[in-house]
Amino acid sequence: MNSGTSASSAVSTNLAAVSARRWRPPRLIESPLARWAALLGIASYLALAFATIDVNWARVSEGVVRAARLFESFLSPNFTSRWSDIQQGTIESLTMTVTATVAGVLLAVPIGLGAARNLAPWWLYGICRGVIAMSRALQDIIVAIFFVAMFGFGPFAGFLTLTVSTIGFLSKLLADDIEEIDPGQVEAIRATGAGFWQVIDFAVASQVIPRLIGLTAYKVDINFRESSVIGIVGAGGIGATLNTALDRYEFDTAGAILLIIIGIVMACEYGAGAIRKRFA
């Protein structure tokens, strides 16, 4: 009896000692010499990279002064002198945001379905993944420059840019969500003899629609912010008005425009959060 008790206590002590040891993840590089060599190489590369940055300190000092003037303009924004331009740019940005999001969602849903490995045949999967990769390959402002060169200045180029951005964003995340759905529901619906669209309706849509609604609301927020950026290259919207105000050093007008952008982005953020909370 005593021997059994002592044996069990010894086992408990050993287990406690093992659990008390601090667990450490395996090292990426086992050799200490190789680790230090890698760290030295990274530090040397960063030092050389920073050394090659040509900084014009005189221009930096001038920019700091202009930045101070811009931040001071937030205290006395001018909404009146260029209100017609501000109003037109804001309407263009909101129009581009809504229409591009709607068009992007309508195109992203079939592309996302085709890019899901567990639903689409291999040839359709390859085509749709290629479309997603192409729509995500370039940054929005580069795409905007391309469309401005093709169709000229104005909100149409911005609409196309935001549509492409929405397709790449939503179809990629939608396809990933479809690939992670519960396969049991899909198999159960297929076992009843349901066709492809019935499987999509009863087994897939019920699992991914709440996520799609949340992502769409989030993309509205992103598209409005992007519309403020692509307008700088001539794709219309409030960004073009902001760029004109900055070029003319009308910092009080620029401050007013930035306050409008911040207010609309905050409204979109809170609205998107409420929608995601409602459908989560």
Side-chain angles (χ1 to χ4, degrees):
M1 184 71 176
N2 292 334
S3 61
T5 303
S6 60
S8 61
S9 62
V11 172
S12 301
T13 302
N14 292 333
L15 291 176
V18 171
S19 61
R21 295 174 184 172
R22 185 179 179 182
W23 180 84
R24 293 182 179 180
R27 295 182 184 273
L28 181 62
I29 303 176
E30 292 294 339
S31 173
L33 182 61
R35 286 199 304 272
W36 282 109
L39 290 175
L40 181 60
I42 294 173
S44 300
Y45 173 78
L46 291 176
L48 291 173
F50 282 112
T52 57
I53 299 177
D54 186 15
V55 181
N56 188 339
W57 293 107
R59 186 162 185 174
V60 169
S61 61
E62 295 175 0
V64 170
V65 174
R66 286 196 295 268
R69 290 173 54 195
L70 178 60
F71 286 121
E72 288 175 0
S73 67
F74 281 95
L75 302 177
S76 57
N78 183 2
F79 292 93
T80 57
S81 63
R82 295 176 59 85
W83 173 245
S84 59
D85 294 335
I86 295 174
Q87 185 180 27
Q88 180 182 355
T90 303
I91 293 174
E92 284 183 357
S93 286
L94 292 174
T95 302
M96 287 191 299
T97 297
V98 174
T99 55
T101 302
V102 172
V105 170
L106 293 177
L107 295 173
V109 169
I111 294 174
L113 291 173
R117 191 187 299 271
N118 55 342
L119 292 180
W122 65 268
W123 58 270
L124 182 59
Y125 172 83
I127 293 174
C128 292
R129 284 289 176 176
V131 172
I132 293 174
M134 291 177 59
S135 61
R136 291 168 54 86
L138 299 176
Q139 210 272 341
D140 291 348
I141 197 166
I142 305 299
V143 178
I145 293 173
F146 175 75
F147 283 130
V148 167
M150 289 181 60
F151 303 106
F153 297 100
F156 182 64
F159 161 75
L160 294 177
T161 301
L162 297 179
T163 300
V164 172
S165 175
T166 303
I167 292 172
F169 178 84
L170 286 180
S171 57
K172 171 68 166 59
L173 296 180
L174 177 62
D176 293 343
D177 287 338
I178 293 175
E179 291 181 346
E180 295 175 0
I181 62 174
D182 181 12
Q185 296 187 31
V186 178
E187 294 175 0
I189 297 298
R190 284 175 175 169
T192 64
F196 175 78
W197 293 112
Q198 291 174 317
V199 171
I200 296 297
D201 188 13
F202 294 100
V204 178
S206 60
Q207 299 188 62
V208 300
I209 279 184
R211 170 75 168 164
L212 178 61
I213 293 174
L215 290 173
T216 302
Y218 179 52
K219 189 56 181 171
V220 172
D221 174 20
I222 296 175
N223 280 344
F224 181 79
R225 287 187 281 116
E226 290 296 332
S227 71
S228 304
V229 176
I230 62 177
I232 296 176
V233 297
I238 193 66
T241 309
L242 176 62
N243 188 44
T244 301
L246 291 175
D247 288 341
R248 296 178 177 179
Y249 295 101
E250 298 175 353
F251 294 123
D252 52 352
T253 302
I257 296 172
L258 290 174
L259 288 175
I260 292 175
I261 293 174
I262 292 172
I264 295 178
V265 168
M266 289 181 64
C268 292
E269 176 66 23
Y270 288 125
I275 292 174
R276 288 196 298 269
K277 184 178 180 181
R278 171 66 178 82
F279 290 96

